[in-house]
Amino acid sequence: MIARPAASFKAFYVRQPEDDDGNKNTKAFTDALDDTDEERRVKNVTEDLNAVLFAADAEGKIQILHSPANLGGTRTRPKNKVAALVGLGPQATVEKLDEKHAVKLIDLRCPNLNLVDAEATAEGIKSIPIPDNTAVVTCEAANVFLPAPWLKNTILNSNTDCPFELILSACQAKNEFIQDHCGGDQHLQDEIKAHYDGFVSWAWAVGHEMIEPLRFLVRPDDVELRPTF
């Protein structure tokens, strides 16, 4: 982690110096969990100690993890040992993750995203009919979501963990980013829209408990985790 003074983890992660470059490479965040190889997906979400991850909790809400690290996955220590901090305040805790479950890919059957975008309230988004199990799979998503900086900052600045409310915030952020930063760059606009669509599908699925809550492998006596964080 870069040593930069901040009053809280939230203050540290909002508007990092590298965010502008990350936003121009939004597709890399979208592709990180689309990889067909499980080990590469694990690597993609743990290679940046300054990363922020979204995950589902047991109540259909979105929780925030950050500072992921793989203490294994090397030639001398091939077995993965993935940990991350949970929470943005002074009481943030180090948790060992079930990394295979975190990057597990799930087939999702979500509504047409035009229906989602047409809704002006969180309750309206939530009430969109859920496609049945015979419907066509609309996308594939992992149990965690790796946001591009523009989306990360939006969610961190939102005072809610409700996925349907966060979809509304993400929609506004997407429109503002395209207007303020994309200009005539159609390629970047398409990347931003694709990332937004992926988040909307994932967050909608979280709200309907289609995304599995993250599994924490609690090891309170694991002394190896303490110096790392």
Side-chain angles (χ1 to χ4, degrees):
M1 182 183 295
I2 298 174
R4 188 170 67 248
S8 66
F9 283 116
K10 176 180 176 180
F12 176 85
Y13 280 107
V14 172
R15 291 300 305 164
Q16 293 178 295
E18 58 269 28
D19 279 358
D20 288 341
D21 287 338
N23 284 330
K24 294 174 185 176
N25 196 28
T26 288
K27 187 176 185 296
F29 292 84
T30 306
D31 292 346
L33 286 163
D34 284 345
D35 199 300
T36 57
D37 184 82
E38 181 184 81
E39 284 299 315
R40 284 198 296 265
R41 294 198 301 275
V42 171
K43 179 179 182 294
N44 289 342
V45 298
T46 58
E47 64 184 355
D48 182 0
L49 195 57
N50 288 330
V52 170
L53 300 172
F54 301 154
D57 68 13
E59 298 178 349
K61 305 295 185 182
I62 291 178
Q63 62 179 331
I64 295 172
L65 296 79
H66 54 94
S67 313
N70 189 353
L71 307 181
T74 64
R75 285 185 294 273
T76 56
R77 190 176 184 178
K79 186 176 180 180
N80 289 322
K81 184 178 183 181
V82 175
L85 283 162
V86 181
L88 296 169
Q91 303 304 317
T93 58
V94 181
E95 304 285 356
K96 185 173 182 293
L97 310 182
D98 181 340
E99 77 282 351
K100 291 181 180 293
H101 178 260
V103 303
K104 172 185 173 184
L105 296 179
I106 301 171
D107 289 337
L108 297 180
R109 294 172 173 82
C110 299
N112 187 303
L113 296 186
N114 290 330
L115 297 176
V116 177
D117 287 344
E119 295 292 342
T121 67
E123 191 58 39
I125 295 174
K126 182 179 181 180
S127 66
I128 295 173
I130 301 173
D132 62 35
N133 290 334
T134 63
V136 175
V137 172
T138 55
C139 67
E140 193 176 49
N143 280 321
V144 294
F145 187 91
L146 179 65
W150 64 270
L151 181 57
K152 170 204 68 178
N153 294 336
T154 297
I155 303 307
L156 288 178
N157 283 322
S158 299
N159 295 316
T160 180
D161 57 4
C162 171
F164 306 112
E165 293 176 358
L166 292 173
I167 287 172
L168 292 174
S169 297
C171 181
Q172 180 179 349
K174 177 257 299 181
N175 292 336
E176 291 177 353
F177 187 90
I178 289 175
Q179 179 179 338
D180 296 342
H181 300 285
C182 289
D185 189 340
Q186 187 61 49
H187 181 70
L188 181 57
Q189 287 187 39
D190 291 343
E191 287 188 13
I192 299 298
K193 290 177 180 177
H195 194 65
Y196 164 76
D197 286 350
F199 173 73
V200 170
S201 296
W202 180 85
W204 185 88
V206 169
H208 288 292
E209 300 184 15
M210 298 174 184
I211 299 294
E212 300 171 10
L214 209 55
R215 296 174 184 168
F216 298 113
L217 306 175
V218 181
R219 296 289 186 273
D221 58 344
D222 192 332
V223 296
E224 186 178 27
L225 299 181
R226 298 171 190 167
T228 303
F229 294 85

